[in-house]
Amino acid sequence: MTPAADTERLPYTPDQVAEALGRSWRTTLLTAHRWMVLGRTLDSRMQALQRQGRVGFYGAATGQEAVNVAAGLATTPDDWIFPGLREQLVALVRGHDLVAYAHHLFGDARDPAVGRNMPCHPSAREVHYVSMSSVIGTQVSHAAGLAYGLRLRRDRGVAVAFFGDGATSSNDFHAGMNLAGVFGLPVLFCCTNNQWAISIPVDRQTAAPTLASKAREYGLDGRRVDGTDLVAVYRALAESLARIRAGGPAEMIEFVLYRMTPHSSSDDPGRYQPGDWAARARAHDPLDRLERWLRENGMMDDAASARVRADADDTVRAAIRTAESTPAPAPSTLTEGVFRDSAPAPLAGDP
Ligand SMILES: Cc1ncc(C[n+]2csc(CCOP(=O)(O)OP(=O)(O)O)c2C)c(N)n1
Ligand SMILES: [Mg+2]
């Protein structure tokens, strides 16, 4: 399976970008750049902290920031996000507080889930960001189910499900796509094809010519988009969301991109990736591509870029400092919200 057309830089004129992003295209690009830098900064800090033993686990989204930021900007508050492992930036762009997310990463007393979930598995009710299910592919059918509810309630929202290339081999992918197709549900399936399911490359995962082609077999529109091109990603998402919001059927977009980090902090890709993978992935870095375009078109210089990076670094470090100095959840919280009474009475005969 070949990736989307390789391009050295975003091949657009400013007029073409304006047409793709609308009247406030300059603000959109600069806002997207700021968020992409924030995501990149958070990933690199958290990976270092995990290595230092300060957080238990981390799954980076490095290389996938264009999709996450564009999704955060193109969706509306009515929409619902069903993430995989790498979409936390979508929640932040939609308004989830970075400090709250840092509390979650440290599993401390102010973590909205009071330390019950693995780090990197947040939920953010206020921005309709549903808790990630670690069971690969299940969010595809969860999203279709919620979309069924939205249809019944005549709600304007669209359910947006994110899942990896590997997830397209799961039972739940089949169940969710089929349900969405049969009932014409308001759901947008976003496949982030980073070309690896841990150690399994995408061409060992499926004999289908593309992942987007799978959608067509369920009667849905399936398109491939270069997931490292912020403009193309934003336009594709905005167009699909508008069609679905207007009553159109579910759609799937396959975003082709490159996993630039290990699968997670528990992985060693040196054992299975070809030696030139890292260099190939770096050549398709979505942040580099956007920043180069901004510089070539007079919208960014060294000073502005350094400022954005310094701001992101300050913001991320401050959030981490706050979370790291927060105590662990009290042991008594273990059963709160789980049982009606604070702890179940021991069974007769228990020691
Ligand atoms: C049902 C199930 N099988 C296996 C796993 C172990 N597992 C965790 S992540 C992963 C690969 C996922 O790959 P992909 O869907 O491409 O997403 P990516 O991690 O690349 O974003 C696997 C097999 C799991 N969590 N759930
Ligand atoms: Mg993958």
Side-chain angles (χ1 to χ4, degrees):
M1 191 184 298
T2 50
D6 287 355
T7 41
E8 284 289 302
R9 60 199 177 86
L10 302 179
Y12 305 110
T13 63
D15 282 349
Q16 287 170 321
V17 175
E19 195 196 326
L21 303 186
R23 221 155 28 93
S24 48
W25 63 276
R26 285 173 178 275
T27 313
T28 303
L29 284 189
L30 292 173
T31 304
H33 176 265
R34 254 202 334 274
W35 278 114
M36 287 168 75
V37 170
L38 186 112
R40 185 67 58 98
T41 307
L42 183 64
D43 274 358
S44 83
R45 275 309 290 144
M46 292 311 301
Q47 286 173 108
L49 294 198
Q50 195 281 335
R51 284 294 180 251
Q52 294 165 13
R54 288 155 69 185
V55 289
F57 172 87
Y58 195 74
T62 309
Q64 305 191 187
E65 295 94 337
V67 171
N68 286 344
V69 170
L73 296 174
T75 48
T76 69
D78 291 332
D79 299 334
W80 290 80
I81 309 298
F82 287 78
L85 175 59
R86 308 183 200 282
E87 281 77 36
Q88 299 83 0
L89 195 50
V90 182
L92 297 175
V93 175
R94 283 171 62 81
H96 184 50
D97 180 25
L98 177 64
V99 176
Y101 180 44
H103 285 303
H104 159 74
L105 287 167
F106 283 86
D108 64 39
R110 307 201 62 164
D111 169 10
V114 278
R116 289 203 183 90
N117 230 340
M118 264 177 94
C120 265
H121 292 54
S123 50
R125 184 187 288 267
E126 77 286 6
V127 293
H128 288 186
Y129 187 89
V130 174
S131 181
M132 175 218 168
S133 160
S134 268
V135 185
I136 296 297
T138 47
Q139 70 273 37
V140 178
S141 44
H142 296 164
L146 181 113
Y148 193 85
L150 293 173
R151 170 65 43 89
L152 291 177
R153 290 165 59 162
R154 299 178 193 281
D155 188 298
R156 276 179 48 75
V158 175
V160 185
F162 292 88
F163 49 91
D165 41 293
T168 68
S169 308
S170 72
N171 292 342
D172 283 284
F173 173 81
H174 167 79
M177 300 288 282
N178 193 54
L179 192 74
V182 169
F183 289 102
L185 301 177
V187 51
L188 176 57
F189 297 109
C190 296
C191 177
T192 49
N193 176 3
N194 64 11
Q195 308 184 50
W196 294 93
I198 311 185
S199 57
I200 305 295
V202 69
D203 59 2
R204 295 283 312 285
Q205 189 72 240
T206 181
T210 68
L211 303 180
S213 71
K214 297 191 181 191
R216 291 174 215 133
E217 301 307 323
Y218 296 99
L220 308 180
D221 182 59
R223 282 185 297 154
R224 284 190 118 199
V225 170
D226 180 344
T228 70
D229 176 340
L230 185 273
V231 176
V233 170
Y234 184 94
R235 177 165 47 187
L237 284 167
E239 287 174 355
S240 289
L241 287 166
R243 280 193 292 268
I244 296 168
R245 217 181 296 288
E251 300 185 17
M252 171 171 157
I253 307 175
E254 175 192 354
F255 294 107
V256 181
L257 32 80
Y258 292 74
R259 202 186 81 201
M260 294 178 68
T261 56
H263 168 77
S264 73
S265 52
S266 315
D267 178 40
D268 174 11
R271 295 176 57 180
Y272 58 82
Q273 278 183 338
D276 65 345
W277 173 263
R280 274 164 51 204
R282 269 199 306 279
H284 292 84
D285 179 337
L287 177 55
D288 273 5
R289 294 184 67 189
L290 176 60
E291 185 158 331
R292 221 174 315 142
W293 191 92
L294 292 171
R295 286 169 179 269
E296 285 170 8
N297 289 277
M299 287 176 62
M300 183 155 293
D301 56 18
D302 289 347
S305 168
R307 232 179 2 254
V308 171
R309 280 161 213 278
D311 282 353
D313 201 56
D314 288 348
T315 308
V316 166
R317 281 176 192 275
I320 289 170
R321 252 195 323 274
T322 304
E324 213 170 11
S325 58
T326 303
S332 62
T333 60
L334 211 58
T335 54
E336 281 173 11
V338 178
F339 299 105
R340 193 191 58 185
D341 303 318
S342 61
L347 294 176
D350 274 2

